[in-house]
Amino acid sequence: MKKKALILGIESSCDETAAAVLEESTESIPNLLSNIVSSQEEVHKRFGGVVPELAARSHIDKIDLVVNEALKKSKRQLKDIDAIAVTGGPGLIVCLSVGLNFAKALAVSLKKPLIVVNHLEGHALSPKLVTEIKYPYLLLLISGGHSQYLAVKNLGKYKRLGTTIDDAVGEAFDKTAKLLGIKFPGGPLIEKFAARGNKNRFNLPKPIINKGGCNLSFAGLKTAVLKISKTLKNNQDKYDLAASFQKTIEEILNKKTKIAFNQFKKISQKKNNYFVIAGGVAANNNIRNNLKKLSFDENFVPIFPPQNLCGDNAAMIAMVGLEKFKLKKFSKLDCPAKPRWPLDKKAAFLKGAGVKL
Ligand code: KG4
Ligand code: ZN
């Protein structure tokens, strides 16, 4: 019987040091043998955001421990590994370099192929760790650094339908959290605050809601939250602002997703299309429930990764690694870290002043 491919995945693009071991399966879903994530939350929380130099140092401290732990938990040995998949970008260059150099050294010493993976493609394929999904599908990627609608046509083949022209959704959650006195990363706690608040208390703006196709914008919303935050008197006021903010995000995503659905239907003529929602913000229960309902109403099949695979992890990197391994898409050892690495290389850069929608 042919040996099932065994992939070691490594992730260090931002503030999680992660390693995972994934085994090919005769079934459509591979076996995730281990998935270790070491978060740097404690390192960064007093700074209100990720400090690149501290993040890189922490990756250097942890990477061999995390990889060893992933191997130990998988009950496999380094010699059994068939390829090393590692995040090569996008992300903080000092952080990416730690994982990438570690993976290159392993690949050389084991004489096994190196597979450099786009972190965003990891999020895009993350639901494949638990669900069978066929290309093409529509993807909403909502994380701390990115907010995009993409048509995923095949492995490595993406068409961007819309993107944020300023902040990412996760960034909006984190900045709102900071204004409410919640430590970084604030997204998960905003959800808890919102559950206790009145979502109709504050009327917040929805930038570019009626223009720009399914492009997104959150900067104006953040400014409105900043103004209101200065008037808050007690905890209930904070809960109400968190709830109103979350409701506004949901309404923006609902409207823009409908536009993305219509655009995607022109690309795929299938009767029931898949709609994958991935990235850290996809862990938010309200956003999940809302987009689920909208999808069913519009004949799309909503697919979310399990909540523990929404945030950054190496299982998703190993997942892309496995697909590339089967196609023998290996990387060269001089492959550089890429701080900027868009999934759709042809899409226009849409950030900053002077953006025309
Ligand atoms: O994908 P991810 O782990 O890292 C990036 O690649 O950016 O996403 C992190 C983001 C952070 O902004 C965090 O606040 C947000 O995801 N997040 C949430 C929730 N859990 C994490 N935002 C809203 N609600 C949540 N439950
Ligand atoms: Zn991410």
Side-chain angles (χ1 to χ4, degrees):
M1 204 175 78
K2 197 177 142 249
K3 180 185 182 295
K4 292 178 200 153
L6 196 66
I7 310 293
L8 171 66
I10 297 176
E11 153 68 36
S12 73
S13 63
C14 190
D15 58 344
E16 328 277 355
T17 319
V21 177
L22 187 70
E23 190 177 53
E24 187 182 10
S25 164
T26 42
E27 313 292 315
S28 52
I29 299 162
N31 287 325
L32 183 57
L33 302 180
S34 64
N35 181 31
I36 308 294
V37 181
S38 168
S39 167
Q40 301 177 359
E41 244 177 76
E42 283 305 312
V43 178
H44 304 291
K45 71 177 183 193
R46 70 192 172 101
F47 300 103
V50 178
V51 183
E53 169 68 19
L54 295 182
R57 279 182 194 214
S58 181
H59 286 308
I60 293 168
D61 279 349
K62 299 271 174 60
I63 192 137
D64 50 346
L65 301 173
V66 168
V67 169
N68 264 333
E69 176 94 17
L71 282 166
K72 202 167 130 199
K73 187 122 196 269
S74 74
K75 301 200 164 60
R76 301 292 193 276
Q77 292 175 2
L78 213 40
K79 66 174 175 51
D80 303 323
I81 298 290
D82 294 296
I84 294 120
V86 61
T87 304
L92 298 165
I93 192 151
V94 281
C95 295
L96 291 164
S97 303
V98 178
L100 191 58
N101 289 337
F102 190 89
K104 284 178 180 176
L106 263 185
V108 172
S109 63
L110 296 172
K111 298 192 176 62
K112 292 289 156 74
L114 173 79
I115 301 174
V116 176
V117 172
N118 183 316
H119 177 87
L120 305 178
E121 184 151 50
H123 281 300
L125 267 58
S126 58
K128 288 188 162 212
L129 289 159
V130 290
T131 317
E132 188 182 0
I133 317 169
K134 295 220 159 50
Y135 300 110
Y137 56 87
L138 175 65
L139 168 71
L140 169 61
L141 175 61
I142 36 178
S143 71
H146 297 269
S147 299
Q148 304 181 4
Y149 289 98
L150 292 142
V152 185
K153 295 179 171 178
N154 210 326
L155 183 70
K157 290 211 165 61
Y158 294 84
K159 182 173 169 50
R160 195 187 73 198
L161 307 178
T163 186
T164 177
I165 59 165
D166 39 59
D167 293 348
V169 189
E171 211 175 336
F173 267 92
D174 293 338
K175 286 178 179 167
T176 298
K178 203 171 170 184
L179 292 169
L180 296 183
I182 302 171
K183 288 204 171 120
F184 175 85
L189 257 185
I190 287 277
E191 190 178 354
K192 294 210 172 93
F193 273 36
R196 297 167 162 198
N198 170 7
K199 62 182 181 183
N200 298 319
R201 164 102 182 264
F202 298 107
N203 193 11
L204 298 169
K206 294 175 211 143
I208 67 164
I209 195 77
N210 291 320
K211 62 174 185 176
C214 61
N215 286 309
L216 299 154
S217 167
F218 300 103
L221 174 58
K222 182 186 67 193
T223 311
V225 169
L226 170 69
K227 272 193 194 152
I228 297 172
S229 70
K230 290 181 178 154
T231 68
L232 304 182
K233 295 201 171 54
N234 52 40
N235 280 343
Q236 192 55 51
D237 289 345
K238 288 187 181 182
Y239 302 151
D240 291 349
L241 184 53
S244 304
F245 164 80
Q246 190 173 268
K247 181 192 101 174
T248 308
I249 296 278
E250 278 161 23
E251 288 175 352
I252 294 171
L253 291 180
N254 258 29
K255 175 92 193 276
K256 295 293 182 173
T257 298
K258 274 190 201 162
I259 299 171
F261 280 166
N262 286 333
Q263 291 188 12
F264 187 73
K265 280 184 203 154
K266 291 181 192 143
I267 295 172
S268 164
Q269 271 74 43
K270 276 196 278 179
K271 212 165 167 231
N272 274 307
N273 283 303
Y274 287 115
F275 177 39
V276 168
I277 303 98
V281 184
N284 183 293
N285 288 305
N286 276 67
I287 292 179
R288 284 171 99 92
N289 292 337
N290 246 296
L291 290 177
K292 248 182 223 166
K293 187 180 173 307
L294 178 72
S295 304
F296 290 133
D297 290 349
E298 304 261 336
N299 284 331
F300 272 74
V301 180
I303 296 185
F304 295 86
Q307 273 156 316
N308 68 320
L309 294 175
C310 285
D312 289 348
N313 64 81
M316 65 185 195
I317 303 303
M319 183 68 234
V320 179
L322 180 59
E323 293 216 353
K324 284 187 158 187
F325 182 83
K326 289 185 196 160
L327 300 171
K328 294 196 167 50
K329 287 185 173 226
F330 303 141
S331 311
K332 292 196 177 134
L333 281 170
D334 62 357
C335 181
K338 297 181 203 168
R340 190 172 177 272
W341 185 359
L343 284 174
D344 177 356
K345 289 176 198 71
K346 289 192 190 139
F349 190 63
L350 274 193
K351 268 193 173 180
V355 165
K356 295 223 167 32
L357 292 170

